[in-house]
Amino acid sequence: IMQLTSVAKKTLTAWKRHQRYISSCGGTRSGKTYSILQTFILALIEEVNNMRPATVNSVVSESMPHLQRGAIRDFKAIMEKDGIWEETRWNETQHTYTFSNNSILEFFSVDNAGKVHGSARDRLFINEAQNIPYEIARQLFVRTRGQIVCDYNPTHSFWLNEVVEARQNCITIRSTYRDNDFLTPEQVAEIESNRNDRNWWKVYGEGQIGTLDGLIYNFELVDSIPAVTA
């Protein structure tokens, strides 16, 4: 039995409502990516167990190194932990895992234009969507037949907040490190040591939308525009 994080339980509940979009916003180490992968794996296992037709499922991020350090590593860890990883089903060249009913979980980066503008899929997971331009996301959306899940760190407001989360067919999940049941006391202490860095803590500690580094606004209310002197 897969041991689900608390965020995974929320994600799975949202998934079962069959809405078009799930948006998972979280601070550092909230477990959102891991939880979404758990949800995808459970959906694929259910397809196998119920002898459903094969599906194509895509996990997309900004670059392949980012995927290899994050989502791919997490996917393998989840599968190995639950004793369901089969090395012969993993294609290292194509970065695909084929389940016994021929459903595919593929990993690719948006710097591969052929993948973005090419074949369609049944489900889509955009990992760290704040790093991906909207036009690329839109191309992926229109080629996805079923559910779409995006996760992001709320470093700043971007297209997902305005275009996707505002839709009625989107469920938004918010999480912080406090929702991750598997962090060590040392990890929690390290995160909480950054409380005095206001913007960092707002984004990565509390999971709230922050401000891009370098953008500083100091507004002052005045009765009239000062005259320009030569």
Side-chain angles (χ1 to χ4, degrees), residues 34 51 70 112 172 179:
Y34 194 93
M51 294 181 289
N112 185 330
T172 301
D179 296 298

CSV table of all heavy atoms in Angstrom, one decimal, residues 34 51 70 112 172 179:
chain,number,residue,atom,x,y,z
A,34,TYR,N,6.2,15.4,-5.6
A,34,TYR,CA,6.2,14.0,-5.1
A,34,TYR,C,4.7,13.5,-5.1
A,34,TYR,O,4.4,12.4,-5.5
A,34,TYR,CB,6.9,13.8,-3.8
A,34,TYR,CG,7.2,12.5,-3.3
A,34,TYR,CD1,8.5,11.9,-3.6
A,34,TYR,CD2,6.3,11.7,-2.6
A,34,TYR,CE1,8.8,10.6,-3.1
A,34,TYR,CE2,6.6,10.4,-2.2
A,34,TYR,CZ,7.9,9.9,-2.4
A,34,TYR,OH,8.2,8.6,-2.0
A,51,MET,N,-7.7,-3.3,-16.5
A,51,MET,CA,-7.5,-3.7,-17.9
A,51,MET,C,-8.1,-2.6,-18.8
A,51,MET,O,-8.8,-2.9,-19.8
A,51,MET,CB,-8.2,-5.1,-18.2
A,51,MET,CG,-7.4,-6.2,-17.5
A,51,MET,SD,-8.1,-7.8,-17.8
A,51,MET,CE,-9.7,-7.7,-16.9
A,70,GLY,N,14.9,16.0,-10.3
A,70,GLY,CA,13.6,16.2,-9.5
A,70,GLY,C,12.6,15.1,-9.8
A,70,GLY,O,12.6,14.0,-9.2
A,112,ASN,N,12.5,21.1,-26.1
A,112,ASN,CA,12.4,20.2,-27.3
A,112,ASN,C,11.1,20.6,-28.0
A,112,ASN,O,10.0,20.2,-27.6
A,112,ASN,CB,12.3,18.7,-26.8
A,112,ASN,CG,12.2,17.7,-28.0
A,112,ASN,OD1,11.7,18.0,-29.0
A,112,ASN,ND2,12.8,16.5,-27.8
A,172,THR,N,-7.5,24.4,-6.9
A,172,THR,CA,-6.2,24.9,-6.4
A,172,THR,C,-5.9,24.3,-5.0
A,172,THR,O,-6.7,24.4,-4.1
A,172,THR,CB,-6.2,26.4,-6.4
A,172,THR,OG1,-6.5,26.9,-7.7
A,172,THR,CG2,-4.8,26.9,-5.9
A,179,ASP,N,3.0,20.7,5.7
A,179,ASP,CA,2.2,19.6,5.1
A,179,ASP,C,3.0,18.3,4.8
A,179,ASP,O,2.4,17.3,4.4
A,179,ASP,CB,1.4,20.1,3.9
A,179,ASP,CG,0.5,21.2,4.2
A,179,ASP,OD1,-0.5,20.9,5.0
A,179,ASP,OD2,0.6,22.3,3.7
